[in-house]
Amino acid sequence: MITADTSIFESLESNVRGYCRNWPTVFTKAKGSWLRDENGSDFLDFFAGAGALNYGHNNDVLKQPLLDYIAGDGITHGLDMSTSAKRDLLTTLRDTVFAPRGLDYKVQFPGPTGANAVEAALKLARKITGRETVVSFTNAFHGMTLGALSVTGNAAKRAGAGVPLVHAAHMPYDGYFDGTTADFQWMEKVLDDTSSGFDRPAAVIVETVQGEGGVNVARAEWLRHLAGLCQAREILLIVDDVQMGCGRTGPFFSFELAGITPDIVTLSKSIGGYGLPMALVLFKSELDQWAPGEHNGTFRGNNPAFVTAGVALRHYWSDGSLQASTLAKGEKVGRILGELADNVPGLTTRGRGLVHGLVFDDASQASKVCQVAFERGLLVETSGSTDEVVKLLPPLTITDQELDHGLGILTGAVDTVCS
Ligand code: PMP
């Protein structure tokens, strides 16, 4: 039984708090794939800051350059001024990310969060096209600000927000179903139908794997078809790679597997490299129709994050090793979860790279599994429209032994809950 004095959080912090309820202890330190609480208990992290810690906690490769930068009085807050840290990051992005993939993207720093990136992407798409509607998908998650929430395909999450700020239509995210069930005709109808009074959409926003939506994995062919539908109608395709980018699915961008080039890409979470807040919007250079200062914000210049982002890109993405190890570890996770699911009625599994879901017919079992896992030293959370999916999102830098250890705890927790 884990005990901790959490009374100040309960008395002073808003009722809106969430993760502290799932994990009722007080964490003090973190290193690599582990967190430690104030009782000295260690927890293996299969959550990784909701995808913000692909390189683990306090990664030594990133830590020393960050300490050196701060020790040398490097700029911490820089609005969108030109700084040496930003120049270094842009150069690294061009040479390490864009050039090898033949991408001609411009870069916008929209603010610190994923939602900031989505807001900027929606605004830009509407400005460029002069159209208002943005189409998104059932079970999509794009953030909690009003614009991003408008394109989020979960009515329960939208419920508190009142009237959507953008016209948004939701198409079924059916690309992950087997075979031919994807209803492209239906999709075409949504894109072409102006009977509701909306014009043709400005953009379609999509995740290649829906993380919060329950680890729904779009087939490459479905993504290609969607990209083709958009292109034929001059509708901009936005890939929200906030959670699945930076290698989560194997390649740096999750859409690489489908061989598509989105018009606009949003990145955040792990792009900062050290869990530091940072976001990017990338768009084809001909779409750079912003006027100077037209989209601004105080915290667009987190220069320490630029430093760690640059080091992470150079260290992890200048050769193919992280991609290869992520895919190998992912295959192993998929195999072990598949064996587990084969033996437990009402359990299925799906995933890509190092994001996997254990899907329970009975959603209450998913949250019980997370609770038992926590008591045994593993942090793992639920996702999906009814929280029916246990989502595994370990750091990409996790070792094989740590992975085995965590999968052992998870398997034991499933046995305890489902037997
Ligand atoms: N897009 C996606 C795909 C996400 O998973 C998230 C966060 N879970 C966001 C946007 C919003 O990011 P943030 O919480 O940093 O605003």
Side-chain angles (χ1 to χ4, degrees), residues 51 54 207-212 215-216 239-255 266-267 269 352 354-356 391 393:
N54 283 5
E207 299 153 272
T208 65
V209 178
Q210 294 182 325
E212 302 305 322
V215 195
N216 304 316
V239 169
D240 181 349
D241 236 2
V242 163
Q243 187 165 147
M244 294 304 146
C246 302
R248 177 53 59 185
T249 65
F252 182 78
F253 293 111
S254 70
F255 53 81
T266 53
L267 282 176
K269 294 200 190 262
R352 172 176 287 158
L354 259 181
V355 52
H356 287 264
K391 181 172 75 168
L393 210 63

Side-chain angles (χ1 to χ4, degrees), residues 10 20 27 32 41-42 44 54 59 67 72 83 124 127 136 164 180 284 286 288 293 312 328 354 384 390 396 416:
E10 277 134 39
C20 56
F27 296 101
S41 300
D42 289 323
L44 187 56
N54 283 5
N59 181 319
L67 291 174
T83 62
L124 181 63
K127 177 182 159 64
S136 62
T180 55
K284 290 180 176 168
E286 70 270 20
D288 190 12
L354 259 181
V390 173
L396 307 184
T416 302

Side-chain angles (χ1 to χ4, degrees), residues 99-166:
R101 294 168 179 81
L103 296 170
D104 175 28
Y105 280 143
K106 285 288 202 92
V107 181
Q108 180 183 354
F109 295 85
T113 70
N116 290 140
V118 170
E119 295 291 342
L122 298 179
K123 254 174 91 170
L124 181 63
R126 285 160 52 113
K127 177 182 159 64
I128 291 169
T129 59
R131 301 180 225 133
E132 292 188 331
T133 310
V134 176
V135 168
S136 62
F137 290 90
T138 51
N139 285 319
F141 185 85
H142 298 293
M144 280 286 168
T145 52
L146 285 177
L149 198 57
S150 302
V151 287
T152 285
N154 179 321
K157 291 215 162 74
R158 283 199 310 272
V163 180
L165 283 189
V166 298

